[in-house]
């Protein structure tokens, strides 16, 4: 992100862009992905812009990373019968398009994500 440029997630957090929010706490927000790759596809986003990816988050604030993972588990319990994939894209070459750390929760209320799929089959 260039200096002064805010990510789409920061704009969602600020209420400037609407989102289907499923969780909101002091440090984390979660909402439905607008282009889901599985029956349940949620994004879990720390409210700070400080970290571009999960590697920076792990090094800079491991407690926030642990909180993010615990939130993902809670949301998977609520939306996907507790079974889920937690995906962090790190770097443009791995498919990261928003450089504000976030995790994708992929799951299904009835299970059924096959091994080897990315959830979009």
């Amino acid at each position: 992100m260039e200096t002064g440029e805010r990510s789409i997630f920061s704009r969602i957090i600020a209420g400037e862009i609407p989102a289907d929010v499923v969780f909101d706490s002091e440090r984390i927000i979660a909402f439905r992905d607008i282009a889901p790759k599985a029956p349940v596809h949620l994004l879990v986003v720390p409210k700070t812009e400080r970290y571009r990816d999960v590697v920076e988050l792990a090094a800079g604030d491991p407690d926030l990373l642990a909180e993010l993972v615990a939130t993902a588990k809670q949301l998977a319990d609520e939306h996907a019968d507790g079974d889920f994939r937690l995906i962090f894209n790190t770097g443009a070459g791995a498919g990261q398009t928003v450089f504000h750390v976030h995790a994708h929760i992929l799951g299904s209320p009835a299970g059924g994500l096959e091994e080897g799929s990315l959830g979009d089959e």
Side-chain angles (χ1 to χ4, degrees):
M1 241 180 327
E2 295 178 16
T3 303
E5 183 181 341
R6 296 172 58 223
S7 75
I8 190 170
F9 296 155
S10 293
R11 296 181 66 207
I12 289 170
I13 292 162
E16 297 170 9
I17 296 175
D20 186 356
V21 175
V22 297
F23 180 87
D24 192 0
S25 71
E26 183 179 325
R27 299 195 329 151
I28 292 177
I29 190 168
F31 45 89
R32 295 184 192 285
D33 194 294
I34 61 169
K37 302 297 184 194
V40 174
H41 187 167
L42 307 175
L43 300 176
V44 185
V45 183
K47 290 184 174 179
T48 178
E49 292 181 320
R50 183 172 180 182
Y51 307 105
R52 291 174 49 90
D53 58 46
V54 69
V55 175
E56 287 186 7
L57 178 59
D61 193 342
D63 290 338
L64 182 56
L65 176 56
E67 186 177 339
L68 187 150
V69 172
T71 300
K73 171 62 174 140
Q74 175 186 331
L75 292 168
D77 288 346
E78 294 171 9
H79 297 271
D81 289 339
D83 294 333
F84 67 106
R85 292 193 180 136
L86 188 61
I87 300 170
F88 292 91
N89 297 327
T90 303
Q96 185 176 5
T97 58
V98 178
F99 293 89
H100 178 145
V101 65
H102 60 285
H104 296 259
I105 299 171
L106 298 178
S108 175
L113 293 184
E114 298 297 322
E115 180 68 30
S117 77
L118 292 177
D120 57 357
E121 297 176 348

